[in-house]
Amino acid sequence: MTKHNPGVRVPPQSRKSLRAIATSVHFALQHDCKKPFPIVEITELVLPKLINDFDFQVRSIEEMGNDHGMTYPDRHIMCIREDVYERACRDYGRDRYTMCHEFAHLLIHEGIDVALARGEDPLKPYEDSEWQANALAGELLMPYAEIRGMSPDEVSSIYLVSAAAAKTQLRLIG
């Protein structure tokens, strides 16, 4: 989570607006924010019911290479590398985060006319598709209102996220 690979330029979203989206998702899914966000179950069982043509693909390491996940929001396709998926099913924090990051792309980047993040203007974090997906994944997995005042170890243990993700989320909420 410390290294940032820029994505594509998308309409700006603040952390506050992404937090509101996460809150709406938790509410819509009737998720008790005091326990881990069930990203695997949502991907496998809920999304196919909500999105008529949703296609979840677990792909081989050979197919995906260094990509742990890829999402095509306009085509409703989410691809997760098989080893990442298997670890997410076993509640490995980093891999749960990867799946949630791809879910975030699906939620917030459908129908967006993206412009490649190239050119003279540096890409600001709040208009970067990857930053937005990371921020929304963090808010979905570690709800702001619940983790305030917790230690990174508590967040990691309760919400089944990596220590790095817990530290980053706590730092960002101040």
Side-chain angles (χ1 to χ4, degrees):
M1 285 189 46
T2 56
K3 183 180 174 191
H4 177 73
N5 294 320
V8 295
R9 190 177 311 274
V10 293
Q13 291 257 23
S14 68
R15 182 165 288 277
K16 186 176 180 180
S17 71
L18 294 167
R19 186 172 293 142
I21 292 169
T23 299
S24 296
V25 169
H26 288 135
F27 180 78
L29 296 174
Q30 299 178 337
H31 174 251
D32 174 3
C33 292
K34 296 186 184 313
K35 60 187 178 189
F37 187 71
I39 187 59
V40 174
E41 293 82 0
I42 288 167
T43 303
E44 292 179 338
L45 304 174
V46 177
L47 290 179
K49 291 178 183 174
L50 296 178
I51 303 170
N52 197 25
D53 59 345
F54 177 68
D55 185 9
F56 175 56
Q57 301 174 9
V58 177
R59 293 187 177 176
S60 71
I61 295 170
E62 291 77 25
E63 287 178 277
M64 298 285 290
N66 291 330
D67 292 322
H68 289 199
M70 296 175 72
T71 297
Y72 305 92
D74 288 332
R75 294 175 26 212
H76 303 138
I77 298 171
M78 181 190 301
C79 307
I80 300 293
R81 203 171 71 184
E82 65 186 344
D83 58 325
V84 173
Y85 171 73
E86 289 167 5
R87 288 188 304 260
C89 289
R90 293 192 308 266
D91 292 331
Y92 282 48
R94 185 184 190 292
D95 300 299
R96 287 174 32 77
Y97 189 94
T98 297
M99 283 192 69
C100 208
H101 172 98
E102 297 306 327
F103 173 57
H105 280 302
L106 196 66
L107 286 177
I108 60 176
H109 295 138
E110 180 181 4
I112 292 177
D113 183 20
V114 295
L116 289 180
R118 296 183 187 130
E120 297 176 23
D121 289 343
L123 191 59
K124 295 175 180 69
Y126 55 84
E127 62 185 10
D128 178 345
S129 63
E130 292 303 306
W131 179 88
Q132 289 180 4
N134 280 336
L136 182 53
E139 297 293 336
L140 286 166
L141 290 168
M142 299 164 277
Y144 170 79
E146 300 299 327
I147 68 168
R148 284 183 299 176
M150 287 186 181
S151 72
D153 287 340
E154 289 173 311
V155 173
S156 182
S157 175
I158 293 168
Y159 292 101
L160 302 177
V161 296
S162 69
K167 287 176 187 171
T168 298
Q169 190 72 359
L170 287 166
R171 179 179 49 79
L172 292 172
I173 66 170

